[in-house]
Amino acid sequence: MSAKSFSIVTAAAMLILFQKTQLSVQAPLNGSKWSYIGPDGEKTWPKKYPFCGGVFQSPIDFHNDILQYDTTLLPLELVGYNVSSTDHFMLTNNGHSVRMSLFPTMHIRNLPFQYTATQLHLHWGNRNKPEGSEHTVSGRHFAAELHIVHYNSDKYPDVTAAIDKSDGLAVLAILIEIGPFNPSYEKIFSHFQNVKYKDQVALVPGFDIQELLPDQLDEYYRYEGSLTTPPCYPSVLWTVFRHPVKVSQEQASLTLETALYCTQPNDPAPLEMVNNFRDIQEFDERLVSVSFRQGVVLSVVLASVLGVIIMLAVAFWLLRKKNCKKEREDNRRVIYKPAFDKEDDNTSKV
Ligand SMILES: [Zn+2]
């Protein structure tokens, strides 16, 4: 057995173990199932999963009223993200998304704890409405969103132990919009045909996962939220990068929006895997920290300028109204006097 085939066999064995672990993480205590539409759609999640109706829920909309510039937010440093092509990631269709397992050698530096990578997955829309990001910016959806999930390895032995703890998880979120062809995303997308149906599995040769992130790792939104799927534990320290990455229209529509199913191959009622994103959640009396200043300062400046313009316009309008009133009063006086003269004239003519 060559070293390469040994690596694949080891990966396959790890895959079975991984799937069992993940299933135990995902499976609810009462054995309920969930989906994005239909009788088990997200409106019903809180009945079976009480945290989904609780506090600190995600995703949210990032709008200027809730953003607060924070000088202590450092650029993220990603360690061990460049994985050799002789190692393999395991790609699984779990019936809700496509998930790729990651290696425990990958972790994030510059967070309050060390967070170790466990898996990544995507959320997307459909071919008629390719707006499937979970987080939105000023109400705007992006085409899709990538989540790279990490757990607090300083405090917990594995993701199962960390998943329901308030400091248990850290997720990096990358907003995806339509643009040129993206060869890095294609390293995952090209395997989607092998995980078309639920529970199917494929191996993806290692590559540098950092290629999936935007170039600027120093500009991001940071807040405390939750898993966006049941059981919705409020256990996630979110980092949503400000700058989106681009994939081509063809990559988005062929790969994400038409290629996959939530159901198994022999299911009599096949269900396309589309619109697998959760609605925006309420974000009352909380703030999102942002590591960048420009947008916030710009919006404050714009708001101030707009405020001054409106005040000037109102003042001008009031002044004009006052002048018009005065003019009308003056005119009345002016017209009143000659009216007699005119009448007199007319009378004299008659
Ligand atoms: Zn997600």
Side-chain angles (χ1 to χ4, degrees), residues 36 121-123 134 145-147 149 171 228-229 238:
Y36 288 97
H121 60 267
L122 291 132
H123 301 268
E134 296 215 293
E145 187 168 328
L146 173 74
H147 290 161
V149 182
V171 179
T228 63
T229 56
W238 281 96

Side-chain angles (χ1 to χ4, degrees), residues 47-60:
K47 284 184 208 155
K48 297 171 188 167
Y49 308 92
F51 284 106
C52 297
V55 292
F56 293 102
Q57 290 299 290
S58 298
I60 58 165

Side-chain angles (χ1 to χ4, degrees), residues 242-257:
R242 181 190 188 194
H243 299 286
V245 298
K246 293 180 169 68
V247 302
S248 71
Q249 179 68 59
E250 200 174 20
Q251 285 180 301
S253 56
L254 288 180
T255 309
L256 291 174
E257 293 151 8

Side-chain angles (χ1 to χ4, degrees), residues 153-175:
S153 49
D154 276 347
K155 287 184 75 170
Y156 308 107
D158 52 41
V159 67
T160 312
I163 196 165
D164 60 348
K165 308 297 187 301
S166 61
D167 56 1
L169 302 180
V171 179
L172 305 183
I174 296 102
L175 301 166

